[in-house]
């Protein structure tokens, strides 16, 4: 089982040694790449997220992703959840333009 943290929330990294990431946008921690990512509404308080979880975060959003992580959901299960959501219908795409 991988013991590498998946996410460092803004509150946990911003006032720590990891705060240098605000200037670089990402960093390697114990050989694993993390990058800053945020929802549009929270762009001033980005989270430091393991790179392989970025698709999950961008599709599900911050709160749902953190919920999955807290529940111990694996990355493969999280990707299955995204896949089961399906592609948006054409009408929905037109409304979002």
């Amino acid at each position: 089982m991988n013991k590498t943290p998946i996410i460092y929330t803004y509150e946990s990294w911003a006032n720590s040694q990891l705060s240098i990431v605000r200037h670089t946008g990402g960093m390697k921690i114990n050989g694993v790449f993390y990058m800053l990512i945020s929802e549009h509404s929270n762009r001033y308080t980005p989270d430091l997220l393991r790179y392989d979880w970025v698709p999950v975060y961008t599709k599900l959003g911050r709160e749902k992703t953190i919920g999955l992580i807290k529940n111990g959901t694996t990355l493969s299960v999280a990707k299955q959840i995204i896949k089961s959501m399906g592609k948006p219908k054409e009408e929905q795409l037109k409304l979002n333009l």
Side-chain angles (χ1 to χ4, degrees), residues 9-21:
T9 61
Y10 177 80
E11 299 80 18
S12 67
W13 70 261
N15 293 313
S16 73
Q17 296 90 338
L18 299 176
S19 65
I20 189 72
V21 78

Side-chain angles (χ1 to χ4, degrees), residues 34-81:
Y34 289 80
M35 61 186 290
L36 287 179
I37 188 164
S38 65
E39 292 179 321
H40 182 68
S41 60
N42 279 339
R43 64 179 182 212
Y44 298 111
T45 57
D47 296 313
L48 190 56
L49 184 67
R50 207 170 73 191
Y51 75 97
D52 51 349
W53 277 80
V54 170
V56 176
Y57 190 103
T58 55
K59 290 282 188 179
L60 298 179
R62 182 179 195 268
E63 298 305 319
K64 287 182 182 177
T65 302
I66 290 174
L68 289 175
I69 294 167
K70 284 182 178 179
N71 288 332
T73 305
T74 63
L75 179 59
S76 59
V77 171
K79 286 183 175 181
Q80 288 176 353
I81 291 169

Side-chain angles (χ1 to χ4, degrees), residues 78-93:
K79 286 183 175 181
Q80 288 176 353
I81 291 169
I82 291 171
K83 199 175 209 179
S84 70
M85 292 171 53
K87 295 182 181 178
K89 295 181 181 175
E90 188 174 328
E91 299 84 33
Q92 291 174 331
L93 290 175

